[in-house]
């Protein structure tokens, strides 16, 4: 039961968010960590548990220098619960010692996404203080770029001992606030993987959105716009949440990492409309269409209010929207697959993968999985695959529409009985011709007699045989069209004016050949015809009318002359 499992996992996560309280009411003014320093070793990644280092701060202003941080220490209270789910400011004073006999560099990575203010100092054993970094979201030019979080470097001399001071402030702590300490080589590897996968996944989403927009301008199908908006908003949202938008544009008016969650309900509004259009729900599944429209309206209303509510509430609302949407999308995928709608194979694959990884990603925000290094990359990769699958489902939808259009185009231009072009196809062809042409208006003689004596089935056979015979006979020179019951038109294209006379002279012989073959099975059969050329008329319709008139003149002459020879009238 994958859908039920997803619901349970997501509901569990929301309960954790709602009930999580991180700050203790009272505690000692001394840090939990004793004077025993944390040892910096050759280990690639080391963890410092949040319970050992952080102290909560209330009623304060962000410190601007080391002296201000020192003054905050007596005002702080030690924590006895996880910081997960809380907001506010925390202070850490961490004794450290370099156990290596070489000057070495480590990178300190606070396990959090949305940093409004962060500052770090290194106090050496002789009392000298070095400012390591200002790693707030608004002032991170001098720290290494690391998607989804921030880090700063600490360089210590051989066997040096000192104290690391960290102040951090955020509106929402989405992970337990542990510290990861990377060796230099491990950090560069972590940075490379983290950034490259993020750039690639976001790039895939934005590129697919751009392709969908380009397709819209070629097809004018609304589904391509909803697809572009859905994929594009997810790409922009994750770029913002990862810190990529801020790194590119250096925005200081607001914390851009919050934007991803603010855009999430809007993205799901477009996802609902895309789903509705993809499976033609308005016609085939009206109840589902009504549900998707309702969710769309709710998401749009939520989107309007998201910027004016506190981020923790907005963060929670976005996860509630996910709880509703992800299982619903998977359920829709299964339902459509049962209907043998094979657009659903892509839709289901992408949404199921994304739902499972996003559920796991949410659970990594708890203490159960707090040592996972790349939780965002897993869900971003799944989302990129999901967007590819969504694009494939759109391509399948467009393919079906194109196939239906081609079939309708064919049926609108092909005579169903004889399988040759009809009057509509003839008119289209005449409009395309920008040079000279010759038309031969054909009327079968004897069809009524065949119908009366042999039956209409035999008459239909006569028409089919006649059409096929004419097409085979004139294939090298002309195209045959059926314009009425027993009326046909041959269309000869003449690249040059002098070719008209040559083509006109061919017609009587071709008519005689067709007539002789027809009489082998239907002795009373005959062909009346009239010829007209483009240089005899001002437009295509006049030319057709002229050929029709000459055909009737030919037929009239047959009433007063012997049936053979049947020479055509050229004027």
């Amino acid at each position: 039961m994958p859908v039920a499992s997803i619901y349970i996992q997501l509901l569990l996560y929301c309960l954790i968010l709602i009930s999580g309280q991180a700050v203790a009411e009272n505690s000692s003014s001394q840090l939990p960590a004793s004077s025993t320093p944390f040892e910096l070793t050759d280990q690639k990644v080391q963890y410092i548990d949040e319970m050992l280092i952080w102290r909560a701060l209330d009623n304060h202003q962000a410190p601007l220098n080391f002296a201000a941080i020192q003054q905050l220490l007596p005002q702080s209270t030690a924590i006895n619960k996880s910081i997960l789910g809380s907001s506010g400011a925390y202070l850490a004073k961490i004794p450290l010692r370099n156990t290596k006999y070489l000057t070495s560099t480590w990178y300190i990575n606070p396990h959090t996404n949305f940093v409004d203010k962060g500052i770090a100092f290194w106090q050496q054993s002789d009392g000298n203080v070095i400012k390591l970094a200002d790693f707030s979201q608004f002032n991170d030019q001098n720290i290494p770029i690391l998607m989804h979080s921030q880090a700063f470097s600490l360089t210590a001399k051989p066997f040096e001992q000192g104290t690391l001071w960290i102040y951090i402030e955020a509106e929402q702590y989405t992970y337990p606030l542990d510290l990861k300490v990377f060796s230099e080589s491990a950090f560069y590897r972590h940075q490379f993987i983290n950034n490259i996968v993020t750039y690639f996944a976001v790039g895939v989403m934005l590129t697919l959105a751009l392709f969908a927009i380009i397709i819209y301008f070629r097809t004018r199908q609304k589904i391509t716009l909803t697809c572009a908006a859905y994929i594009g908003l997810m790409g922009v949202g994750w770029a913002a949440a990862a810190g990529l938008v801020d790194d590119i544009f250096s925005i200081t008016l607001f914390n851009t990492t919050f934007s991803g969650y603010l855009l999430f309900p809007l993205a799901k509004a477009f996802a609902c409309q895309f789903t509705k259009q993809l499976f033609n729900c308005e016609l085939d599944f009206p109840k589902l269409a009504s549900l998707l429209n309702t969710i769309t309206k709710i998401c749009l209303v939520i989107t309007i209010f998201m910027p004016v509510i506190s981020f923790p509430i907005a963060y929670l609302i976005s996860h509630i929207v996910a709880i509703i949407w992800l299982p619903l999308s998977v359920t829709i995928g299964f339902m459509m697959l049962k209907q043998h709608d094979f657009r659903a194979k892509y839709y289901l694959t992408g949404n199921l993968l994304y739902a499972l990884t996003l559920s796991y990603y949410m659970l990594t925000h708890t203490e159960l999985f707090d040592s996972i290094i790349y939780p965002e990359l897993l869900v971003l990769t799944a989302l990129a695959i999901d967007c590819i699958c969504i694009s494939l489902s759109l391509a399948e939808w467009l393919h079906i529409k194109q196939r239906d259009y081609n079939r309708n185009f064919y049926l609108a231009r092909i005579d169903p009985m004889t399988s040759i072009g009809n009057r509509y196809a003839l008119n289209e062809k005449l409009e395309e011709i920008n040079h000279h042409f010759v038309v031969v208006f054909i009327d079968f003689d004897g069809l009524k007699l065949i119908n009366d004596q042999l039956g209409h089935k035999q008459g239909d056979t006569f028409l089919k045989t006649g059409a096929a015979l004419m097409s085979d006979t004139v294939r090298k020179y002309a195209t045959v069209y059926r314009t009425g019951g027993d009326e046909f038109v041959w269309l000869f294209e003449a690249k040059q004016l002098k070719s008209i006379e040559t083509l006109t002279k061919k017609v009587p012989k071709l008519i005689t050949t067709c007539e002789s073959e027809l009489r082998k099975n239907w002795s009373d059969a005959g062909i009346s015809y009239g010829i007209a050329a483009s240089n005899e008329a001002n437009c295509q319709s006049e030319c057709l009318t002229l050929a029709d008139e000459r055909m009737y003149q030919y037929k009239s002459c047959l009433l007063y002359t012997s049936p053979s020879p049947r020479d055509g009238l050229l004027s």
Side-chain angles (χ1 to χ4, degrees):
M1 298 290 293
V3 176
S5 175
I6 294 168
Y7 268 118
I8 292 171
Q9 291 176 348
L10 294 177
L11 286 171
L12 174 63
Y13 173 68
C14 273
L15 289 175
I16 293 171
L17 281 179
I18 295 170
S19 62
Q21 297 296 327
V23 182
E25 297 296 331
N26 281 303
S27 185
S28 168
S29 63
Q30 298 299 316
L31 284 171
S34 68
S35 58
T36 302
F38 179 83
E39 294 187 345
L40 300 173
T41 67
D42 285 328
Q43 189 173 342
K44 293 181 179 179
V45 184
Q46 297 173 270
Y47 292 85
I48 305 178
D49 188 89
E50 62 175 355
M51 303 302 295
L52 300 176
I53 56 175
W54 293 109
R55 300 179 65 85
L57 294 168
D58 294 316
N59 302 322
H60 67 280
Q61 292 183 345
L64 300 177
N65 52 48
F66 180 69
I69 282 186
Q70 283 185 310
Q71 292 174 5
L72 288 175
L73 182 59
Q75 307 170 26
S76 63
T77 55
I79 65 171
N80 58 16
K81 293 182 181 179
S82 174
I83 295 175
L84 170 67
S86 70
S87 61
Y90 292 87
L91 177 65
K93 178 185 177 184
I94 313 169
L96 299 177
R97 185 169 70 90
N98 179 10
T99 62
K100 302 172 67 175
Y101 58 87
L102 296 173
T103 298
S104 302
T105 299
W106 289 268
Y107 285 85
I108 314 300
N109 177 211
H111 196 192
T112 187
N113 294 81
F114 311 108
V115 179
D116 290 316
K117 178 66 177 177
I119 189 167
F121 292 92
W122 174 239
Q123 184 181 24
Q124 297 174 325
S125 56
D126 60 3
N128 184 43
V129 176
I130 301 171
K131 184 177 180 180
L132 297 179
D134 184 340
F135 58 93
S136 69
Q137 197 66 35
F138 304 104
N139 187 22
D140 56 1
Q141 291 87 354
N142 297 321
I143 65 172
I145 294 177
L146 183 64
M147 298 294 97
H148 310 288
S149 62
Q150 295 181 321
F152 57 89
S153 63
L154 167 63
T155 301
K157 298 176 182 178
F159 305 108
E160 180 182 357
Q161 183 171 325
T163 303
L164 176 64
W165 294 75
I166 303 175
Y167 171 90
I168 194 166
E169 182 180 338
E171 286 196 42
Q172 181 75 23
Y173 294 98
T174 57
Y175 294 107
L177 192 52
D178 301 330
L179 287 184
K180 294 187 180 73
V181 182
F182 290 90
S183 67
E184 192 168 21
S185 60
F187 176 78
Y188 288 141
R189 182 168 57 252
H190 171 69
Q191 181 190 42
F192 177 79
I193 295 172
N194 199 59
N195 292 357
I196 287 297
V197 173
T198 301
Y199 294 153
F200 179 77
V202 171
V204 166
M205 287 184 270
L206 295 181
T207 301
L208 291 173
L210 179 61
F211 283 161
I213 292 174
I214 293 172
I215 293 172
Y216 169 76
F217 286 112
R218 293 184 62 87
T219 65
R220 298 296 175 178
Q221 295 288 347
K222 291 182 179 179
I223 189 174
T224 57
L225 279 184
T226 55
C227 180
Y230 174 32
I231 296 176
L233 285 170
M234 294 301 288
V236 171
W238 271 98
L244 181 58
V245 171
D246 177 72
D247 290 332
I248 295 175
F249 299 105
S250 298
I251 298 171
T252 58
L253 294 177
F254 61 95
N255 192 334
T256 58
T257 56
F258 299 159
S259 305
Y261 285 93
L262 302 183
L263 291 175
F264 188 81
L266 182 60
K268 293 313 168 189
F270 283 106
C272 287
Q273 292 304 299
F274 172 75
T275 301
K276 184 184 73 173
Q277 295 162 357
L278 179 67
F279 298 114
N280 302 318
C281 294
E282 292 282 9
L283 294 176
D284 299 332
F285 308 97
K287 291 184 179 180
L288 178 58
S290 177
L291 174 62
L292 292 172
N293 285 334
T294 300
I295 296 175
T296 298
K297 293 175 183 177
I298 293 172
C299 287
L300 290 176
V301 172
I302 290 173
T303 301
I304 293 172
F305 290 100
M306 288 288 268
V308 298
I309 61 179
S310 65
F311 178 69
I313 300 299
Y315 179 82
L316 181 59
I317 289 174
S318 291
H319 284 83
I320 293 174
V321 171
I323 289 174
I324 295 171
W325 170 249
L326 293 178
L328 177 62
S329 64
V330 172
T331 302
I332 291 173
F334 276 115
M335 184 178 73
M336 295 305 170
L337 201 58
K338 287 183 179 179
Q339 297 290 330
H340 302 291
D341 188 334
F342 290 105
R343 287 166 290 191
K345 62 186 177 182
Y346 301 118
Y347 181 89
L348 175 61
T349 300
N351 278 286
L352 182 58
L353 179 62
Y354 181 46
L356 292 174
T357 54
L358 189 58
S359 300
Y360 171 74
Y361 169 69
M362 290 178 175
L363 290 174
T364 63
H365 289 62
T366 71
E367 294 178 294
L368 299 175
F369 297 93
D370 65 335
S371 62
I372 302 299
I373 297 179
Y374 300 112
E376 293 89 0
L377 301 192
L378 181 64
V379 71
L380 257 178
T381 302
L383 180 57
I385 296 173
D386 180 31
C387 290
I388 292 172
C389 290
I390 288 170
S391 299
L392 289 174
S393 66
L394 173 63
E396 187 74 12
W397 186 91
L398 292 171
H399 174 71
I400 291 172
K401 286 295 181 182
Q402 183 66 40
R403 187 180 63 194
D404 291 343
Y405 173 81
N406 291 339
R407 183 174 66 250
N408 293 333
F409 185 90
Y410 175 83
L411 293 176
R413 291 157 178 77
I414 301 299
D415 176 59
M417 176 184 290
T418 60
S419 298
I420 61 175
N422 58 16
R423 180 179 288 276
Y424 190 89
L426 172 63
N427 292 338
E428 272 195 341
K429 184 62 180 177
L430 286 171
E431 289 178 1
E432 292 175 2
I433 296 176
N434 54 13
H435 43 262
H436 295 287
F437 59 89
V438 174
V439 292
V440 181
F441 211 100
I442 302 289
D443 185 83
F444 281 138
D445 299 325
L447 177 61
K448 185 177 185 304
L449 188 60
I450 293 171
N451 284 333
D452 293 342
Q453 293 182 354
L454 303 176
H456 285 278
K457 185 176 181 179
Q458 189 64 213
D460 291 345
T461 302
F462 170 73
L463 289 174
K464 293 177 185 178
T465 304
L469 178 62
M470 288 189 296
S471 296
D472 290 341
T473 303
V474 304
R475 189 181 304 279
K476 293 181 180 180
Y477 315 105
T479 305
V480 180
Y481 300 89
R482 185 186 181 192
T483 58
D486 59 354
E487 295 177 348
F488 296 80
V489 170
W490 295 357
L491 176 61
F492 296 81
E493 295 186 53
K495 300 294 184 182
Q496 298 177 349
L497 183 62
K498 61 183 180 181
S499 302
I500 291 178
E501 184 177 355
T502 303
L503 292 173
T504 302
K505 289 181 179 179
K506 291 179 182 292
V507 173
K509 183 177 179 181
L510 296 171
I511 291 290
T512 300
T513 300
C514 292
E515 195 174 50
S516 299
E517 289 296 320
L518 285 173
R519 286 182 174 175
K520 291 180 180 179
N521 296 311
W522 296 278
S523 58
D524 295 323
I527 297 178
S528 297
Y529 68 98
I531 307 173
S534 57
N535 63 335
E536 299 179 275
N538 295 320
C539 60
Q540 293 94 332
S541 59
E542 284 187 11
C543 190
L544 282 171
T545 300
L546 182 59
D548 187 29
E549 290 173 353
R550 288 174 176 172
M551 184 273 294
Y552 278 107
Q553 292 177 28
Y554 182 94
K555 189 182 286 288
S556 298
C557 291
L558 292 180
L559 298 176
Y560 303 103
T561 60
S562 171
S564 180
R566 304 171 68 89
D567 297 326
L569 293 177
L570 302 183
S571 61

